[in-house]
Short mmCIF file of all heavy atoms in Angstrom, two decimals:
data_model
loop_
_atom_site.label_atom_id
_atom_site.label_comp_id
_atom_site.label_asym_id
_atom_site.label_seq_id
_atom_site.Cartn_x
_atom_site.Cartn_y
_atom_site.Cartn_z
N SER A 14 -46.54 8.15 -189.15
CA SER A 14 -46.76 9.59 -188.94
C SER A 14 -47.90 9.84 -187.96
O SER A 14 -48.22 10.99 -187.66
CB SER A 14 -47.04 10.28 -190.28
OG SER A 14 -48.21 9.72 -190.87
N GLU A 15 -48.53 8.78 -187.47
CA GLU A 15 -49.65 8.88 -186.54
C GLU A 15 -49.17 8.75 -185.10
O GLU A 15 -48.16 8.10 -184.83
CB GLU A 15 -50.67 7.76 -186.81
CG GLU A 15 -51.22 7.74 -188.22
CD GLU A 15 -52.16 8.89 -188.49
OE1 GLU A 15 -52.83 9.35 -187.55
OE2 GLU A 15 -52.21 9.32 -189.65
N THR A 16 -49.91 9.32 -184.17
CA THR A 16 -49.64 9.13 -182.75
C THR A 16 -50.41 7.91 -182.26
O THR A 16 -51.59 7.75 -182.57
CB THR A 16 -50.05 10.38 -181.93
OG1 THR A 16 -49.25 11.48 -182.38
CG2 THR A 16 -49.85 10.17 -180.45
N ILE A 17 -49.74 7.05 -181.52
CA ILE A 17 -50.38 5.87 -180.93
C ILE A 17 -50.96 6.27 -179.58
O ILE A 17 -50.24 6.75 -178.70
CB ILE A 17 -49.36 4.72 -180.76
CG1 ILE A 17 -48.85 4.28 -182.13
CG2 ILE A 17 -49.99 3.55 -180.00
CD1 ILE A 17 -47.67 3.32 -182.07
N TRP A 18 -52.25 6.05 -179.42
CA TRP A 18 -52.94 6.39 -178.18
C TRP A 18 -53.26 5.17 -177.33
O TRP A 18 -53.47 5.28 -176.12
CB TRP A 18 -54.24 7.13 -178.50
CG TRP A 18 -54.02 8.53 -178.95
CD1 TRP A 18 -53.52 8.94 -180.16
CD2 TRP A 18 -54.25 9.72 -178.21
NE1 TRP A 18 -53.45 10.31 -180.21
CE2 TRP A 18 -53.90 10.82 -179.03
CE3 TRP A 18 -54.73 9.97 -176.92
CZ2 TRP A 18 -53.99 12.14 -178.59
CZ3 TRP A 18 -54.84 11.29 -176.51
CH2 TRP A 18 -54.47 12.34 -177.34
N TYR A 19 -53.35 4.00 -177.96
CA TYR A 19 -53.74 2.78 -177.24
C TYR A 19 -52.84 1.62 -177.66
O TYR A 19 -52.59 1.43 -178.85
CB TYR A 19 -55.20 2.41 -177.54
CG TYR A 19 -56.16 3.53 -177.21
CD1 TYR A 19 -56.61 4.40 -178.20
CD2 TYR A 19 -56.61 3.73 -175.91
CE1 TYR A 19 -57.47 5.44 -177.91
CE2 TYR A 19 -57.47 4.77 -175.60
CZ TYR A 19 -57.90 5.63 -176.61
OH TYR A 19 -58.76 6.66 -176.31
N VAL A 20 -52.37 0.86 -176.69
CA VAL A 20 -51.56 -0.33 -176.93
C VAL A 20 -52.19 -1.48 -176.17
O VAL A 20 -52.44 -1.38 -174.96
CB VAL A 20 -50.10 -0.13 -176.46
CG1 VAL A 20 -49.33 -1.45 -176.51
CG2 VAL A 20 -49.39 0.94 -177.28
N TYR A 21 -52.43 -2.56 -176.88
CA TYR A 21 -52.98 -3.78 -176.27
C TYR A 21 -52.01 -4.92 -176.54
O TYR A 21 -51.63 -5.17 -177.68
CB TYR A 21 -54.35 -4.11 -176.86
CG TYR A 21 -55.35 -3.00 -176.64
CD1 TYR A 21 -55.59 -2.04 -177.62
CD2 TYR A 21 -56.03 -2.88 -175.43
CE1 TYR A 21 -56.48 -1.01 -177.42
CE2 TYR A 21 -56.93 -1.84 -175.21
CZ TYR A 21 -57.15 -0.91 -176.22
OH TYR A 21 -58.02 0.11 -176.00
N ILE A 22 -51.57 -5.55 -175.48
CA ILE A 22 -50.69 -6.72 -175.57
C ILE A 22 -51.36 -7.80 -174.73
O ILE A 22 -51.42 -7.67 -173.50
CB ILE A 22 -49.28 -6.41 -175.03
CG1 ILE A 22 -48.65 -5.25 -175.80
CG2 ILE A 22 -48.40 -7.66 -175.10
CD1 ILE A 22 -47.36 -4.72 -175.18
N SER A 23 -51.88 -8.81 -175.39
CA SER A 23 -52.59 -9.84 -174.64
C SER A 23 -52.11 -11.23 -175.05
O SER A 23 -51.72 -11.44 -176.20
CB SER A 23 -54.10 -9.72 -174.85
OG SER A 23 -54.44 -9.96 -176.19
N PRO A 24 -52.14 -12.16 -174.11
CA PRO A 24 -51.79 -13.53 -174.48
C PRO A 24 -52.70 -14.00 -175.62
O PRO A 24 -53.89 -13.68 -175.63
CB PRO A 24 -52.05 -14.33 -173.20
CG PRO A 24 -51.99 -13.31 -172.10
CD PRO A 24 -52.50 -12.04 -172.71
N SER A 25 -52.16 -14.71 -176.56
CA SER A 25 -52.96 -15.18 -177.70
C SER A 25 -54.12 -16.06 -177.26
O SER A 25 -55.14 -16.14 -177.95
CB SER A 25 -52.07 -15.94 -178.68
OG SER A 25 -51.13 -15.06 -179.25
N SER A 26 -54.01 -16.67 -176.11
CA SER A 26 -55.08 -17.53 -175.60
C SER A 26 -56.24 -16.74 -174.98
O SER A 26 -57.29 -17.30 -174.70
CB SER A 26 -54.53 -18.50 -174.55
OG SER A 26 -53.97 -17.76 -173.47
N ALA A 27 -56.07 -15.43 -174.77
CA ALA A 27 -57.11 -14.60 -174.15
C ALA A 27 -58.27 -14.36 -175.12
O ALA A 27 -58.06 -14.28 -176.33
CB ALA A 27 -56.53 -13.28 -173.68
N SER A 28 -59.45 -14.19 -174.58
CA SER A 28 -60.63 -13.97 -175.41
C SER A 28 -60.89 -12.49 -175.70
O SER A 28 -61.75 -12.16 -176.51
CB SER A 28 -61.87 -14.60 -174.76
OG SER A 28 -62.07 -14.01 -173.49
N ASP A 29 -60.17 -11.58 -175.01
CA ASP A 29 -60.30 -10.16 -175.30
C ASP A 29 -58.94 -9.48 -175.19
O ASP A 29 -57.97 -10.09 -174.77
CB ASP A 29 -61.34 -9.49 -174.39
CG ASP A 29 -60.96 -9.55 -172.93
OD1 ASP A 29 -59.79 -9.30 -172.58
OD2 ASP A 29 -61.84 -9.84 -172.10
N TRP A 30 -58.89 -8.22 -175.59
CA TRP A 30 -57.62 -7.49 -175.63
C TRP A 30 -57.14 -7.04 -174.26
O TRP A 30 -55.96 -6.75 -174.09
CB TRP A 30 -57.73 -6.28 -176.56
CG TRP A 30 -57.70 -6.68 -177.99
CD1 TRP A 30 -58.76 -6.76 -178.85
CD2 TRP A 30 -56.55 -7.09 -178.73
NE1 TRP A 30 -58.34 -7.18 -180.08
CE2 TRP A 30 -56.98 -7.39 -180.04
CE3 TRP A 30 -55.21 -7.22 -178.44
CZ2 TRP A 30 -56.12 -7.81 -181.03
CZ3 TRP A 30 -54.34 -7.65 -179.43
CH2 TRP A 30 -54.80 -7.94 -180.72
N GLY A 31 -58.00 -6.95 -173.30
CA GLY A 31 -57.58 -6.50 -171.98
C GLY A 31 -57.47 -4.99 -171.91
O GLY A 31 -58.04 -4.26 -172.72
N THR A 32 -56.69 -4.50 -170.96
CA THR A 32 -56.57 -3.08 -170.67
C THR A 32 -55.51 -2.42 -171.55
O THR A 32 -54.47 -3.02 -171.83
CB THR A 32 -56.17 -2.90 -169.19
OG1 THR A 32 -57.12 -3.57 -168.38
CG2 THR A 32 -56.12 -1.44 -168.80
N ASP A 33 -55.78 -1.18 -171.94
CA ASP A 33 -54.80 -0.38 -172.67
C ASP A 33 -53.56 -0.22 -171.81
O ASP A 33 -53.64 0.15 -170.64
CB ASP A 33 -55.42 0.99 -172.98
CG ASP A 33 -54.39 2.02 -173.38
OD1 ASP A 33 -53.52 1.70 -174.20
OD2 ASP A 33 -54.46 3.15 -172.86
#
Side-chain angles (χ1 to χ4, degrees):
S14 60
E15 303 289 329
T16 297
I17 297 170
W18 286 73
Y19 303 97
V20 171
Y21 300 96
I22 302 170
S23 64
S25 295
S26 60
S28 59
D29 62 45
W30 284 103
T32 305
D33 164 46

